[in-house]
Amino acid sequence: MVIITLQRDKCIGCNYCVEMDPAHFQMSKKDGKSVLLHSQNAKGFFTLKSPNHVIVESCELAAKACPVKIITVKET
Ligand code: SF4
C-alpha cells in the first residue's frame, strides 16, 4: 500500500506539487491551496491510500518539491 498525506492548512499555494504530479495534486480555485485528489480529510491531514506502487515516484517528486514539506509518501 502507498500512503500519501498532505497537511493542507500549511500549504502556501506555490503550485510545485501540481507541476510534479498533476495526476494527484490540483490547485483549488476557492482558496489557492493544493488539493490531494481522492483523499480523505482527518483533522486537516488529507490522506490517499493506494495499492498502486507506480504512483510513488511522481508523488515523491511532489513531496521533494514542496518548500514547506507538508507532503509525505510512505510505502507499507
Ligand atoms: S508544493 Fe507544497 S506548498 Fe506548494 S502548492 Fe504543493 S502542497 Fe502547497
Side-chain angles (χ1 to χ4, degrees):
M1 192 68 80
V2 183
I3 302 167
I4 320 293
T5 64
L6 169 67
Q7 195 180 351
R8 190 167 189 273
D9 57 348
K10 293 193 173 173
C11 176
I12 59 170
C14 71
N15 199 52
Y16 289 166
C17 55
V18 180
E19 285 178 29
M20 292 296 170
D21 189 2
H24 298 104
F25 294 92
Q26 235 174 45
M27 297 311 291
S28 164
K29 288 191 179 112
K30 281 187 190 159
D31 63 8
K33 293 180 186 242
S34 175
V35 174
L36 176 57
L37 300 172
H38 309 297
S39 63
Q40 311 248 327
N41 182 9
K43 295 182 181 168
F45 283 83
F46 288 76
T47 302
L48 168 66
K49 291 182 184 173
S50 169
N52 185 359
H53 286 255
V54 172
I55 72 171
V56 167
E57 197 176 334
S58 61
C59 288
E60 278 185 342
L61 286 176
K64 280 183 191 150
C66 179
V68 286
K69 303 292 175 208
I70 54 174
I71 300 168
T72 66
V73 182
K74 280 186 204 152
E75 285 186 90
T76 58

